[in-house]
Amino acid sequence: MMTKCADPVILNLWHPVGAIAEAAPGAVQETVLLEERLSFAVDADGEPVVWRSRPDVQRADHIPPADRLPAISAYGYVWTSLGSPPAELFPIPEYQEPDRRKLNAATFGVNVSAPRAIENFLDMGHFPYVHTDILGVEPHTEVKEYDVEISVDRDEILATRCRFFQPMASTASDGGADVDYVYRVPHPYCSVLYKSSPVDETRRDVIAVFLQPVDQEHVRAHMLLCVLDEDNEDKVIKRFQQTIFGQDKPILENQVPKRLPLDPRAETPIRADKSAIAYRRWLSQKGVTYGVIPAAA
Ligand SMILES: [Fe+2]
């Protein structure tokens, strides 16, 4: 049996628990965050209320304010915390742009740690093999040199100048193209990806993965799309991302060990793993212990 989360870094973060567009006003939903059973509801104005589940309380407006957990709505999701969260969540300025389509592509349950899922999200090397004919295709298998920095100001990892040949980069694509990527990791369990828009070469589509840690080896992965596409229906845009994620899920669930080893010698690094190495180092510097195997002191 696993012990509950005692990692103050993780306890004090905001974590996503559900998509607002999928919450009927007033309906109470049950979920699990960091091994704690929580309930949440969204009112008609989109304001969330979150609390530790109690059998005697079935309505959000019956929860005394003192018994509520911190709650915000951001990027189309309800976020909460079991500790003392920062005043603000990390910024995604593009989310405010009115011509973007903003969708929860899916919420997937996955039997893996949150850090393993972030690492897979950062990895371009698997595109031709796992997302064949969509995000990659042989012989275009090389991960070209790119830049990674840990930004001290913004407390996030930034990978830039990433390029990859993609046969079908998005629903708006009409053929293969070299696609530019920027990755941000602004939260230990969240990553934001920017990729060339097929419809406007001056802008980028934004795809984010927000991982809800259920326990150290299970997540609910919430996939945000914030894209430029005037033609396709919501369900078509969502289905594209669901297909991609459906291909990743068995890969993620076969990771051994399920927690991410932070010892730099634990797994052989290759050049494609540059962002993964920075991510592991950043988690170590923060002192994260939940969902990882910390390096020996
Ligand atoms: Fe993938």
Side-chain angles (χ1 to χ4, degrees), residues 120-121 123 126-127 130-131 135 244-245 247-248:
N120 178 69
F121 192 71
D123 168 40
H126 76 282
F127 288 167
V130 177
H131 308 298
L135 301 186
I244 302 289
F245 203 81
Q247 293 168 337
D248 283 313

Side-chain angles (χ1 to χ4, degrees), residues 8-287:
V9 178
I10 298 302
L11 286 170
N12 287 332
L13 291 171
W14 290 110
H15 296 282
V17 291
I20 290 171
E22 291 156 27
V28 175
Q29 297 187 57
E30 304 279 329
T31 193
V32 178
L33 174 67
L34 299 169
E35 300 156 68
E36 301 279 357
R37 298 182 58 83
L38 303 185
S39 301
F40 68 96
V42 178
D43 72 15
D45 299 324
E47 284 301 310
V49 179
V50 185
W51 65 98
R52 289 181 203 270
S53 299
R54 288 164 42 166
D56 59 321
V57 181
Q58 301 300 332
R59 283 181 52 171
D61 54 1
H62 292 178
I63 291 290
D67 291 350
R68 296 177 185 181
L69 291 169
I72 52 170
S73 113
Y75 313 130
Y77 300 88
V78 175
W79 300 70
T80 191
S81 178
L82 298 180
S84 302
E88 292 184 359
L89 192 59
F90 53 85
I92 305 180
E94 294 78 6
Y95 193 82
Q96 309 307 328
E97 296 172 0
D99 60 343
R100 287 179 181 269
R101 305 280 290 278
K102 295 149 197 166
L103 301 166
N104 178 41
T107 295
F108 270 94
V110 191
N111 178 200
V112 74
S113 64
R116 282 283 194 198
I118 292 294
E119 244 191 34
N120 178 69
F121 192 71
L122 297 176
D123 168 40
M124 288 176 286
H126 76 282
F127 288 167
Y129 310 106
V130 177
H131 308 298
T132 312
D133 297 332
I134 307 175
L135 301 186
V137 67
E138 292 182 271
H140 305 276
T141 56
E142 189 201 359
V143 176
K144 301 181 190 80
E145 190 63 37
Y146 61 95
D147 297 325
V148 186
E149 59 169 311
I150 298 181
S151 165
V152 177
D153 290 0
R154 291 193 312 278
D155 189 25
E156 69 176 40
I157 294 170
L158 192 64
T160 53
R161 256 182 1 101
C162 309
R163 285 155 296 148
F164 213 84
F165 178 82
Q166 301 204 323
M168 180 72 188
S170 81
T171 47
S173 301
D174 58 7
D178 257 317
V179 177
D180 289 318
Y181 273 63
V182 170
Y183 288 99
R184 292 171 55 201
V185 186
H187 175 300
Y189 296 170
C190 297
S191 184
V192 185
L193 156 67
Y194 299 78
K195 64 188 284 187
S196 319
S197 161
V199 299
D200 182 344
E201 64 182 18
T202 67
R203 299 172 71 191
R204 289 190 165 111
D205 285 333
V206 180
I207 301 171
V209 60
F210 303 142
L211 299 165
Q212 171 185 348
V214 172
D215 63 31
Q216 299 210 59
E217 299 186 352
H218 294 82
V219 296
R220 294 176 77 227
H222 305 283
M223 303 284 301
L224 169 68
L225 296 176
C226 182
V227 299
L228 298 164
D229 185 333
E230 293 183 350
D231 298 329
N232 290 293
E233 287 180 76
D234 285 0
K235 66 179 181 190
V236 174
I237 298 175
K238 288 182 182 185
R239 196 183 302 131
F240 180 85
Q241 201 62 33
Q242 289 163 2
T243 300
I244 302 289
F245 203 81
Q247 293 168 337
D248 283 313
K249 183 175 152 88
I251 307 291
L252 287 168
E253 294 188 331
N254 283 322
Q255 298 263 17
V256 179
K258 288 188 183 290
R259 298 181 207 185
L260 184 69
L262 297 187
D263 188 322
R265 294 155 300 183
E267 290 171 347
T268 313
I270 54 169
R271 184 172 57 170
D273 281 322
K274 207 156 104 176
S275 54
I277 291 165
Y279 175 57
R280 292 178 188 204
R281 187 181 308 135
W282 186 65
L283 292 180
S284 283
Q285 287 169 357
K286 286 180 169 300

